Amino acid sequence: MFVRIVKMSFHKENIPAFLEMFDEKKAAIKNREGCEFLELYQDKTNPEIFFTYSHWKHVDNLEAYRNSELFKNVWKQTKAMFNDKPYAWSVDKLVSLS
């Protein structure tokens, strides 16, 4: 399992549309094969910055999602709302405390 973190920054006027689109698509994303967890975060000091945080069983599962029509449609809509370049990291979880 690994974690995928994506940082996105939106024009202020596009935030409601992004949140609506994410709400509509979140279940379909979470239900993709290999996606075990999905969350959306908003920065406390800059409300234009958001992060998605997802857990994937295997890199092939993430790549299958990234090559799907679902991802292509979501990403096309999302990137049209950006005010800055997005950043993405795939990381291995080393420690987790609950």
Side-chain angles (χ1 to χ4, degrees):
M1 191 224 28
F2 71 98
V3 178
R4 180 72 168 183
I5 303 165
V6 180
K7 177 185 176 189
M8 302 166 287
S9 185
F10 295 93
H11 292 284
K12 191 175 219 168
E13 64 272 13
N14 291 332
I15 292 172
F18 167 71
L19 291 173
E20 182 179 333
M21 187 271 306
F22 187 84
D23 191 53
E24 291 171 1
K25 304 295 185 184
K26 66 186 178 191
I29 297 168
K30 169 59 181 77
N31 291 329
R32 290 291 305 186
E33 184 177 349
C35 184
E36 299 179 327
F37 184 83
L38 175 65
E39 288 184 327
L40 177 67
Y41 302 109
Q42 186 175 25
D43 189 86
K44 287 191 107 22
T45 58
N46 183 346
E48 296 178 355
I49 296 176
F50 289 79
F51 298 86
T52 57
Y53 181 86
S54 55
H55 294 185
W56 295 85
K57 285 184 183 178
H58 193 273
V59 68
D60 292 343
N61 299 127
L62 174 61
E63 288 307 310
Y65 166 62
R66 292 183 71 222
N67 289 312
S68 71
E69 286 303 311
L70 172 62
F71 176 82
K72 290 174 186 173
N73 290 332
V74 167
W75 195 245
K76 181 179 179 182
Q77 291 176 34
T78 303
K79 71 180 183 179
M81 299 183 222
F82 288 157
N83 68 6
D84 199 1
K85 178 182 173 183
Y87 295 91
W89 300 269
S90 292
V91 298
D92 291 321
K93 185 187 298 190
L94 299 180
V95 176
S96 180
L97 303 175
S98 296

